[in-house]
């Protein structure tokens, strides 16, 4: 059980980390160029920028490459069991899919009138993951590593992980609210 959870988190790191890189590298021109949707509200909002998106995807790829090195050191073969080409394709599709899902989540939030930066439970934690799964399912390697038990564990563990990280950040005084 614990092994399955750890393996799932490991496999999902290239999808988890892009948003953190987006926070660091984000800013500048918004993806929607400030434009509004037919409902008069912003298409995505100022929280989704080109720099954040591209920095996020590159960050996810960087994470995956660090994982390959770590796998060598601790002698496990998950991502390193793939050929470099398959690994690169899978890592790219996971991080790109995560950023597409992140933007899609914002699109939905704006349609519900939820302002930029305000939380929308479940949607905030699962949209990026579901879209990352769908995007990554375009490549063969996905089916080798993301078995059904991993996919389901990811859906259960991700919101819990999100919540625990927020609680820790709150306790450390990095966030004003615990959720
Ligand atoms: N960010 C960015 N570009 C992206 C994604 C994120 O620049 N494509 C940066 C923004 O500075 C954003 C921060 O990372 O404010 C946190 O990301 P996120 O929580 O996804 O955005 P929110 O500001 O909460 O906006 P939204 O309500 O649309 O989710
Ligand atoms: Mg947010």
């Amino acid at each position: 059980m614990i092994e399955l959870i750890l393996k799932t988190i490991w496999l999902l790191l290239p999808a988890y980390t892009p948003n953190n890189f987006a926070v660091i590298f984000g800013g500048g021109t918004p993806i929607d160029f400030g434009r509004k949707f037919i409902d008069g509200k912003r298409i995505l909002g100022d929280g989704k920028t080109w720099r954040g998106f591209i920095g996020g995807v590159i960050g996810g790829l960087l994470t995956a490459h660090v994982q390959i090195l770590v796998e060598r050191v601790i002698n496990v073969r998950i991502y390193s069991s793939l050929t470099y080409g398959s690994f690169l394709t899978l890592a790219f599709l996971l991080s790109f899919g995560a950023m597409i899902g992140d933007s899609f989540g914002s699109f939905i939030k704006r349609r519900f009138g939820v302002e930029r930066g305000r939380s929308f439970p479940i949607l905030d934690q699962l949209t990026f993951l579901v879209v990352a799964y769908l995007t990554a399912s375009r490549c063969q390697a996905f089916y080798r590593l993301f078995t059904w038990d991993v996919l389901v564990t990811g859906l259960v563990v991700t919101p819990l992980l999100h919540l625990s990280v927020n609680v820790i950040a709150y306790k450390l005084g990095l966030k004003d609210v615990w959720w």
Side-chain angles (χ1 to χ4, degrees), residues 42-171:
R42 284 287 294 276
I43 301 175
L44 300 177
D46 287 329
K48 302 293 116 125
T49 66
W50 286 104
R51 258 176 31 207
F53 190 99
I54 294 162
V57 175
I58 294 172
L61 280 173
L62 197 77
T63 303
H65 281 82
V66 171
Q67 287 181 265
I68 290 284
L69 298 178
V70 173
E71 284 188 14
R72 274 197 203 138
V73 173
I74 63 175
N75 204 25
V76 294
R77 290 178 77 75
I78 298 175
Y79 275 124
S80 53
S81 71
L82 301 171
T83 62
Y84 184 67
S86 306
F87 156 75
L88 200 60
T89 308
L90 179 57
F92 172 77
L93 292 175
L94 282 171
S95 50
F96 179 71
M99 288 317 282
I100 292 284
D102 177 60
S103 303
F104 181 63
S106 293
F107 176 79
I108 304 287
K109 281 166 82 173
R110 299 301 90 82
R111 303 293 70 77
F112 278 97
V114 179
E115 276 173 55
R116 175 248 169 125
R118 300 293 295 274
S119 79
F120 194 136
I122 306 299
L123 187 108
D124 270 339
Q125 291 110 46
L126 287 181
T127 315
F128 85 92
L129 184 65
V130 172
V131 177
Y133 279 170
L134 291 174
T135 311
S137 70
R138 306 297 302 164
C139 75
Q140 275 303 313
F142 177 78
Y143 298 91
R144 267 191 57 190
L145 296 180
F146 287 76
T147 44
W148 278 106
D149 51 345
V150 169
L151 294 176
V152 173
T153 305
L155 290 174
V156 176
V157 159
T158 303
L160 297 175
L161 206 62
H162 202 269
L163 196 65
S164 12
V165 168
N166 286 348
V167 169
I168 292 167
Y170 169 73
K171 297 249 186 210

Side-chain angles (χ1 to χ4, degrees), residues 13 16 33 70 98 157:
L13 282 181
Y16 285 158
F33 296 104
V70 173
V157 159

